[in-house]
Amino acid sequence: MLEVTNINKFYGGVRAVENVSLEVKKGKIIGLIGTNGAGKTTLFNVISGFDKSDNGIVNLSGKDITKLTPSNIAELGLIRTFQTATGFPRLTVLENLLVFSSKNNFNFFNNFLIKQDNSHDLIETAENVLKNFGLLEKKNQWVGDLSAPELKILEFARAIMGDPLIMLLDEPAAGVNPALLENLMSIITELNKNGVTFLIVDHNLRFICEITDYIYVMNDGKLIAEGTPDTIINNELVIQTYIGK
Ligand SMILES: Nc1ncnc2c1ncn2[C@@H]1O[C@H](COP(=O)(O)OP(=O)(O)O)[C@@H](O)[C@H]1O
Ligand SMILES: [Mg+2]
């Protein structure tokens, strides 16, 4: 579904990503791990169109998306979340989901004003998503008043509203407490059963090993290992460069 071939990205003299190729097959949950500065977020930026690679190709469902804008890529069903979640602080939790709907926003707001059925569907969908994420009770709170972990969860919930085929999650478990983490894992599993493919960056190895089918490991811009969770946690090179640190 997603094929990344020979991506290179330099920032001045810094080689953030060096000749990285990876593949995410439809229906899979794939992990991407590596120490801070390994180039994981840069790779996500390149795949999702937020940054341009120096060379290399990104293919989504057989289509070359290397030069497309983030919004064009999102329309094709690839939606990413950010390591540092933000949201619109002066909109409510519910409103934050509604503005991220894949439906045409202008139509939505018009419909909302004249209360057509469509808008009710959308609100119902958003409320349902919030319920699944445990945020329904906070639907009328300002996003600016949420805690950092709640913001992280909201970021994921918002991304669902874009109707993704494939999601790139950048450290979804960072700062999320154990109870919320269980919830996060069941949401990912449930979405995956419903056809959503995932590429997930996270430092929580228990989380990554439990939910992924296959893991890529980056270090210093390069891919240093790949394999099933079992082989990765027993890989000497991975233990030395990542787990051992
Ligand atoms: N916009 C940027 N300008 C300059 N250097 C950057 C920029 N973004 C990332 N880098 C550098 O690229 C390398 C990879 O960073 P990053 O992709 O954020 O790694 P990771 O997400 O694996 O922690 C780091 O050395 C970082 O300092
Ligand atoms: Mg990062």
Side-chain angles (χ1 to χ4, degrees), residues 33 41 47-48 93 136 140-141 163 189 210 213 219:
I33 63 172
T41 296
I47 295 171
S48 55
V93 167
L136 187 58
N140 294 322
Q141 279 194 21
D163 203 8
T189 312
E210 201 168 317
D213 303 295
N219 190 48

PDB file of all heavy atoms in Angstrom, residues 33 41 47-48 93 136 140-141 163 189 210 213 219:
ATOM      1  N   ILE A  33      11.022   2.230  14.887  1.00  0.00           N
ATOM      2  CA  ILE A  33      11.638   2.653  16.142  1.00  0.00           C
ATOM      3  C   ILE A  33      13.055   3.161  15.891  1.00  0.00           C
ATOM      4  O   ILE A  33      13.614   2.970  14.809  1.00  0.00           O
ATOM      5  CB  ILE A  33      11.657   1.510  17.200  1.00  0.00           C
ATOM      6  CG1 ILE A  33      12.513   0.327  16.730  1.00  0.00           C
ATOM      7  CG2 ILE A  33      10.245   1.052  17.524  1.00  0.00           C
ATOM      8  CD1 ILE A  33      12.735  -0.745  17.811  1.00  0.00           C
ATOM      9  N   THR A  41      10.765  11.146  12.407  1.00  0.00           N
ATOM     10  CA  THR A  41       9.798  12.211  12.124  1.00  0.00           C
ATOM     11  C   THR A  41      10.065  12.824  10.751  1.00  0.00           C
ATOM     12  O   THR A  41       9.122  13.129  10.004  1.00  0.00           O
ATOM     13  CB  THR A  41       9.845  13.285  13.238  1.00  0.00           C
ATOM     14  OG1 THR A  41       9.424  12.679  14.461  1.00  0.00           O
ATOM     15  CG2 THR A  41       8.927  14.463  12.927  1.00  0.00           C
ATOM     16  N   ILE A  47       7.004  11.438   3.791  1.00  0.00           N
ATOM     17  CA  ILE A  47       5.927  10.573   3.282  1.00  0.00           C
ATOM     18  C   ILE A  47       4.618  11.351   3.169  1.00  0.00           C
ATOM     19  O   ILE A  47       3.899  11.245   2.180  1.00  0.00           O
ATOM     20  CB  ILE A  47       5.720   9.336   4.199  1.00  0.00           C
ATOM     21  CG1 ILE A  47       6.956   8.432   4.170  1.00  0.00           C
ATOM     22  CG2 ILE A  47       4.473   8.556   3.785  1.00  0.00           C
ATOM     23  CD1 ILE A  47       6.933   7.302   5.202  1.00  0.00           C
ATOM     24  N   SER A  48       4.328  12.183   4.192  1.00  0.00           N
ATOM     25  CA  SER A  48       3.029  12.870   4.237  1.00  0.00           C
ATOM     26  C   SER A  48       3.032  14.203   3.494  1.00  0.00           C
ATOM     27  O   SER A  48       2.032  14.911   3.502  1.00  0.00           O
ATOM     28  CB  SER A  48       2.602  13.070   5.693  1.00  0.00           C
ATOM     29  OG  SER A  48       3.621  13.757   6.405  1.00  0.00           O
ATOM     30  N   VAL A  93     -13.499  20.544  22.075  1.00  0.00           N
ATOM     31  CA  VAL A  93     -13.054  19.213  21.661  1.00  0.00           C
ATOM     32  C   VAL A  93     -13.879  18.733  20.461  1.00  0.00           C
ATOM     33  O   VAL A  93     -13.332  18.287  19.446  1.00  0.00           O
ATOM     34  CB  VAL A  93     -13.174  18.238  22.856  1.00  0.00           C
ATOM     35  CG1 VAL A  93     -13.033  16.798  22.427  1.00  0.00           C
ATOM     36  CG2 VAL A  93     -12.126  18.595  23.925  1.00  0.00           C
ATOM     37  N   LEU A 136     -15.651  11.832  25.359  1.00  0.00           N
ATOM     38  CA  LEU A 136     -16.994  12.384  25.111  1.00  0.00           C
ATOM     39  C   LEU A 136     -17.416  13.377  26.198  1.00  0.00           C
ATOM     40  O   LEU A 136     -18.006  14.411  25.896  1.00  0.00           O
ATOM     41  CB  LEU A 136     -18.027  11.263  24.976  1.00  0.00           C
ATOM     42  CG  LEU A 136     -19.425  11.717  24.543  1.00  0.00           C
ATOM     43  CD1 LEU A 136     -19.381  12.444  23.203  1.00  0.00           C
ATOM     44  CD2 LEU A 136     -20.392  10.548  24.464  1.00  0.00           C
ATOM     45  N   ASN A 140     -17.391  19.583  25.202  1.00  0.00           N
ATOM     46  CA  ASN A 140     -17.610  21.034  25.178  1.00  0.00           C
ATOM     47  C   ASN A 140     -16.504  21.843  25.848  1.00  0.00           C
ATOM     48  O   ASN A 140     -16.622  23.054  26.009  1.00  0.00           O
ATOM     49  CB  ASN A 140     -18.962  21.370  25.806  1.00  0.00           C
ATOM     50  CG  ASN A 140     -20.107  20.826  24.957  1.00  0.00           C
ATOM     51  OD1 ASN A 140     -20.030  20.862  23.719  1.00  0.00           O
ATOM     52  ND2 ASN A 140     -21.135  20.294  25.591  1.00  0.00           N
ATOM     53  N   GLN A 141     -15.421  21.164  26.235  1.00  0.00           N
ATOM     54  CA  GLN A 141     -14.286  21.894  26.838  1.00  0.00           C
ATOM     55  C   GLN A 141     -13.398  22.510  25.764  1.00  0.00           C
ATOM     56  O   GLN A 141     -13.274  21.968  24.670  1.00  0.00           O
ATOM     57  CB  GLN A 141     -13.428  20.924  27.646  1.00  0.00           C
ATOM     58  CG  GLN A 141     -13.988  20.654  29.021  1.00  0.00           C
ATOM     59  CD  GLN A 141     -12.952  19.967  29.909  1.00  0.00           C
ATOM     60  OE1 GLN A 141     -11.755  20.034  29.661  1.00  0.00           O
ATOM     61  NE2 GLN A 141     -13.436  19.312  30.944  1.00  0.00           N
ATOM     62  N   ASP A 163     -11.114  10.142   7.710  1.00  0.00           N
ATOM     63  CA  ASP A 163     -11.456   8.906   7.019  1.00  0.00           C
ATOM     64  C   ASP A 163     -10.223   8.234   6.395  1.00  0.00           C
ATOM     65  O   ASP A 163     -10.166   8.022   5.181  1.00  0.00           O
ATOM     66  CB  ASP A 163     -12.502   9.230   5.938  1.00  0.00           C
ATOM     67  CG  ASP A 163     -13.310   8.002   5.575  1.00  0.00           C
ATOM     68  OD1 ASP A 163     -13.154   6.977   6.253  1.00  0.00           O
ATOM     69  OD2 ASP A 163     -14.064   8.070   4.601  1.00  0.00           O
ATOM     70  N   THR A 189      -6.245  -1.556  17.205  1.00  0.00           N
ATOM     71  CA  THR A 189      -6.588  -2.910  16.771  1.00  0.00           C
ATOM     72  C   THR A 189      -7.959  -2.938  16.093  1.00  0.00           C
ATOM     73  O   THR A 189      -8.138  -3.569  15.054  1.00  0.00           O
ATOM     74  CB  THR A 189      -6.588  -3.868  17.989  1.00  0.00           C
ATOM     75  OG1 THR A 189      -5.384  -3.644  18.721  1.00  0.00           O
ATOM     76  CG2 THR A 189      -6.639  -5.308  17.569  1.00  0.00           C
ATOM     77  N   GLU A 210       3.668  -5.342  20.944  1.00  0.00           N
ATOM     78  CA  GLU A 210       2.375  -6.004  21.107  1.00  0.00           C
ATOM     79  C   GLU A 210       1.447  -5.780  19.916  1.00  0.00           C
ATOM     80  O   GLU A 210       0.722  -6.685  19.524  1.00  0.00           O
ATOM     81  CB  GLU A 210       1.708  -5.524  22.401  1.00  0.00           C
ATOM     82  CG  GLU A 210       0.658  -6.498  22.894  1.00  0.00           C
ATOM     83  CD  GLU A 210       0.200  -6.189  24.300  1.00  0.00           C
ATOM     84  OE1 GLU A 210       1.075  -5.883  25.159  1.00  0.00           O
ATOM     85  OE2 GLU A 210      -1.013  -6.238  24.544  1.00  0.00           O
ATOM     86  N   ASP A 213       2.993  -5.973  13.374  1.00  0.00           N
ATOM     87  CA  ASP A 213       3.305  -7.227  12.685  1.00  0.00           C
ATOM     88  C   ASP A 213       4.785  -7.283  12.328  1.00  0.00           C
ATOM     89  O   ASP A 213       5.352  -8.358  12.185  1.00  0.00           O
ATOM     90  CB  ASP A 213       2.518  -7.291  11.357  1.00  0.00           C
ATOM     91  CG  ASP A 213       1.029  -7.165  11.568  1.00  0.00           C
ATOM     92  OD1 ASP A 213       0.463  -8.069  12.204  1.00  0.00           O
ATOM     93  OD2 ASP A 213       0.429  -6.171  11.111  1.00  0.00           O
ATOM     94  N   ASN A 219      18.642   4.232  12.769  1.00  0.00           N
ATOM     95  CA  ASN A 219      19.654   4.832  13.627  1.00  0.00           C
ATOM     96  C   ASN A 219      20.468   5.777  12.764  1.00  0.00           C
ATOM     97  O   ASN A 219      20.900   5.393  11.677  1.00  0.00           O
ATOM     98  CB  ASN A 219      20.554   3.739  14.239  1.00  0.00           C
ATOM     99  CG  ASN A 219      21.449   4.299  15.315  1.00  0.00           C
ATOM    100  OD1 ASN A 219      20.992   5.028  16.196  1.00  0.00           O
ATOM    101  ND2 ASN A 219      22.722   3.996  15.238  1.00  0.00           N
TER     102      ASN A 219
END
